[in-house]
Amino acid sequence: MRWFTNLFKARDKPQNYSFGSNYSFFFGNSSSGKSVNEFTAMQMTAVYSCVRILAEAVAGLPLHLYKYTDTGGKEKAISHTLYFLLHDEPNPEMSSFVFRETLMTHLLLWGNAYAQIIRNGKGEVIALYPLMPNKMSVERDARGNLYYLYTKTFDEMTGSEKTTVALKAEDVLHIPGLGFDGLVGYSPIAMAKNAVGLAMATEEYGAKFFANGAAPGGVLEHPGTIKDPQRVKDSWNKAYQGSSNAHRVAVLEEGMKYQQIAIAPDQAQFLETRKFQINEIARIFRVPPHMVGDLEKSSFSNIEQQSLEFVKYTLDPWVIRWEQAISRALFTKSEKKAYFVKFNVDGLLRGDYASRMSGYATARQNGWMSANDIRELENLDRIPDELGGDLYLINGNMTKLQDAGVFAKKYEKEEAEDEEVLELDKKR
């Protein structure tokens, strides 16, 4: 028994260096000098677009609870209490779409998504409430069991401004992202703060460029001594500073000359830098560039293939994280053997109309799809059973290989019988 106790104590405490005293190690100022965190990163259009695309994609997928049947198939477990929570309304305050969109946003920005599991007296799950990941820490007690500490900024019961609530592991739905210990995920924004910071810096540079005018960063040269230089500066800025005053004709007095000292945006490859940083951020979230507005490498011939790759290589890993986390946290040990949850991504994998119809025709003619199977995928009403909607048909000229010899022998036997009949007729 002592051996097991030592084993538990030997387990490391889950580490999330983007939380607590080490929070500033990953976040804080980037190499570009810009302060990067989840909230400032969302002000970048590329980050906002990537997060919104992935969050809405996962939230919009049909989510169903299935039960294994005795015949080895599956059927929707509509009568199970979890079906309504996952498919329609996880709590009285939000829909399933909003709930999954919120948790997916947390997962993309903080690397972790948490939801509190509310159970009734029977132990059944009756509600799921999102929890802010920046207020959560994962701990391990002396016996090696995981538990969660959630910091509330205001407690309505006690009236205190800050309090910490301890939650058992079975009371928290935790979806971790990519991490180093398998228990806590790391924030993609924290791990790529320099790339995000550079994008923020280039965006600010462009904004200030147009705010200062078309030729910022210059000096006014005077052949003599100016008695009131501040007045000259204020007069110049009032007349020529700002995008609304760009390209105005400057009038210089008393032999003054204007000397530009800033590097022109085209020389600094300003636009190219901004474009590259957008692709860099899209690369962080593994979102195809055409989905964030960069259509340079996209065409009618490859954009459909890129969309399929988005489902296969970007959405599928996130969907699997969701499915396995839900099964692990919400099902009892006996239910895990009988039930499972599944996101339906078939709608995103559908091709154009002609390709779909050709595939359906092949499936129908080869007997592995019925008319109702096809109509269900196309969101059409089912054909009644008495009209043959659930019939599975095959071509009549096809047969199993092992039956080929049977037909051959039968044919030879029939020929032999016909020959015997002819011989008997001749003798008669």
Side-chain angles (χ1 to χ4, degrees):
M1 189 68 175
R2 182 175 297 177
W3 183 81
F4 284 102
T5 303
N6 292 335
L7 176 62
F8 289 142
K9 289 182 178 180
R11 292 180 181 175
D12 293 331
K13 173 184 176 297
Q15 297 293 325
N16 183 356
Y17 289 108
S18 65
F19 183 87
S21 60
N22 294 314
Y23 188 82
S24 60
F25 176 76
F26 280 113
F27 286 111
N29 289 335
S30 60
S31 299
S32 63
K34 306 304 297 181
S35 178
V36 178
N37 57 49
E38 295 89 359
F39 300 101
T40 59
M42 280 291 281
Q43 296 177 4
M44 286 295 306
T45 57
V47 175
Y48 184 89
S49 297
C50 290
V51 171
R52 183 178 179 181
I53 288 169
L54 290 171
E56 291 179 346
V58 172
L61 290 175
L63 176 60
H64 299 288
L65 174 65
Y66 292 96
K67 181 180 181 180
Y68 294 108
T69 61
D70 297 334
T71 59
K74 67 179 188 300
E75 62 182 9
K76 294 179 181 178
I78 301 178
S79 59
H80 198 287
T81 56
L82 277 178
Y83 188 93
F84 176 76
L85 293 179
L86 297 175
H87 185 268
D88 298 298
E89 191 176 292
N91 61 70
E93 299 176 353
M94 59 187 64
S95 64
S96 177
F97 182 95
V98 174
F99 175 79
R100 285 183 277 157
E101 182 185 42
T102 302
L103 259 64
M104 190 62 192
T105 301
H106 294 170
L107 188 55
L108 292 168
L109 293 176
W110 280 275
N112 295 277
Y114 303 95
Q116 185 178 5
I117 303 173
I118 308 298
R119 290 184 170 88
N120 58 15
K122 299 179 182 179
E124 299 173 338
V125 180
I126 59 174
L128 297 168
Y129 287 92
L131 298 173
M132 287 298 296
N134 59 331
K135 300 179 181 180
M136 181 75 78
S137 64
V138 187
E139 307 289 340
R140 193 186 294 278
D141 61 20
R143 301 187 62 182
N145 298 318
L146 292 175
Y147 68 97
Y148 296 82
L149 288 179
Y150 188 71
T151 302
K152 300 174 63 177
T153 54
F154 179 76
D155 192 344
E156 297 179 354
M157 300 294 295
T158 62
S160 59
E161 294 184 358
K162 189 175 181 180
T163 183
T164 302
V165 180
L167 300 171
K168 297 180 181 179
E170 55 267 25
D171 294 331
V172 176
L173 169 62
H174 180 196
I175 308 173
L178 179 64
F180 296 155
D181 58 5
L183 298 174
V184 178
Y186 283 161
S187 167
I189 303 299
M191 303 302 289
K193 69 172 184 177
N194 285 328
V196 177
L198 179 57
M200 294 169 63
T202 55
E203 185 177 78
E204 183 180 5
Y205 175 85
K208 288 185 176 180
F209 170 77
F210 288 103
N212 290 327
V219 295
L220 290 174
E221 293 183 356
H222 193 275
T225 302
I226 301 178
K227 296 180 180 180
D228 192 356
Q230 185 63 37
R231 182 189 62 81
V232 176
K233 177 183 177 182
D234 294 341
S235 176
W236 176 270
N237 289 337
K238 182 179 179 180
Y240 306 111
Q241 189 180 43
S243 58
S244 60
N245 295 324
H247 304 293
R248 295 183 64 180
V249 178
V251 179
L252 302 178
E253 302 176 359
E254 302 179 0
M256 287 190 301
K257 296 180 179 180
Y258 180 80
Q259 180 65 38
Q260 182 176 347
I261 61 174
I263 301 175
D266 56 343
Q267 296 176 3
Q269 295 184 333
F270 168 70
L271 295 178
E272 288 80 359
T273 301
R274 287 210 64 189
K275 187 175 182 180
F276 177 80
Q277 288 310 117
I278 292 176
N279 289 333
E280 188 85 345
I281 293 174
R283 191 179 299 117
I284 296 171
F285 294 99
R286 204 186 296 169
V287 173
H290 77 271
M291 300 189 73
V292 293
D294 184 4
L295 301 176
E296 182 179 1
K297 299 298 178 68
S298 300
S299 63
F300 288 108
S301 60
N302 66 2
I303 198 166
E304 182 178 354
Q305 183 62 34
Q306 291 185 46
S307 300
L308 295 178
E309 290 179 355
F310 169 73
V311 176
K312 183 177 181 180
Y313 298 112
T314 304
L315 275 186
D316 270 356
W318 290 115
V319 165
I320 294 172
R321 288 181 190 273
W322 273 82
E323 292 172 348
Q324 295 187 356
I326 290 174
S327 299
R328 183 185 60 83
L330 303 185
F331 291 154
T332 63
K333 187 175 294 185
S334 59
E335 287 178 333
K336 291 178 182 179
K337 301 178 181 179
Y339 297 91
F340 68 96
V341 293
K342 191 71 176 177
F343 285 87
N344 187 0
V345 298
D346 292 341
L348 298 178
L349 294 173
R350 300 199 313 175
D352 58 86
Y353 184 82
S355 300
R356 296 202 313 274
M357 294 304 107
S358 177
Y360 291 151
T362 302
R364 179 78 164 134
Q365 294 169 7
N366 286 280
W368 58 275
M369 289 188 77
S370 67
N372 281 336
D373 293 336
I374 298 171
R375 294 178 67 86
E376 185 174 353
L377 291 176
E378 291 293 317
N379 293 322
L380 299 174
D381 294 336
R382 293 175 60 87
I383 298 176
D385 293 342
E386 56 269 18
L387 298 180
D390 291 318
L391 286 177
Y392 292 88
L393 309 175
I394 60 171
N395 290 321
N397 58 350
M398 300 178 66
T399 185
K400 293 185 295 184
L401 182 62
Q402 59 267 30
D403 293 340
V406 175
F407 284 104
K409 293 179 179 178
K410 181 180 179 181
Y411 180 73
E412 293 176 356
K413 183 178 180 181
E414 290 177 351
E415 283 189 338
E417 291 176 350
D418 291 341
E419 290 179 356
E420 291 179 0
V421 171
L422 291 175
E423 290 293 331
L424 291 174
D425 290 341
K426 289 180 180 179
K427 291 180 179 180
R428 292 176 183 174

